[in-house]
Amino acid sequence: MIVCVCRRVSDREIARHVRAGMTFDEVQFELGVATQCGQCETCARDVVAQCSASQPIAALNRESEPSSFQLASAMTESRTWNSSRPSASA
């Protein structure tokens, strides 16, 4: 469904951005939603709120430190990762 007629932005497009971790303000900046006539702001905010509520993991990741750094360090310490590197003695 088209939420913002002025910018031709759909609810699916808004939802995709919210699931990527964006807030309403970030979605508004990125897509231009509710920046012209403003008639879509309530509907756009509702879509953002629905997607934020249905994706609590994304909301938690925004509030806490990213765990990807821990994952990356765990990957570099694993034997598989180290075995693919050229050895220092070679």
Side-chain angles (χ1 to χ4, degrees):
M1 157 182 86
I2 297 295
V3 173
C4 179
V5 175
C6 299
R7 298 286 182 165
R8 194 162 172 79
V9 178
S10 69
D11 58 340
R12 290 180 182 182
E13 198 169 0
I14 294 170
R16 187 169 3 110
H17 282 74
V18 172
R19 289 186 188 118
M22 290 183 158
T23 63
F24 174 79
D25 292 338
E26 293 166 331
V27 170
Q28 186 178 35
F29 180 78
E30 184 74 21
L31 301 177
V33 173
T35 58
Q36 283 191 321
C37 75
Q39 293 296 311
C40 64
E41 184 173 355
T42 303
C43 183
R45 285 187 183 275
D46 288 346
V47 172
V48 169
Q50 269 186 321
C51 292
S52 296
S54 68
Q55 297 291 328
I57 294 171
L60 290 175
N61 285 341
R62 277 196 315 254
E63 295 170 4
S64 64
E65 287 292 318
S67 59
S68 59
F69 294 114
Q70 295 169 354
L71 177 62
S73 64
M75 286 173 53
T76 59
E77 293 168 1
S78 75
R79 291 181 193 198
T80 307
W81 177 267
N82 290 333
S83 67
S84 64
R85 290 184 181 170
S87 65
S89 62

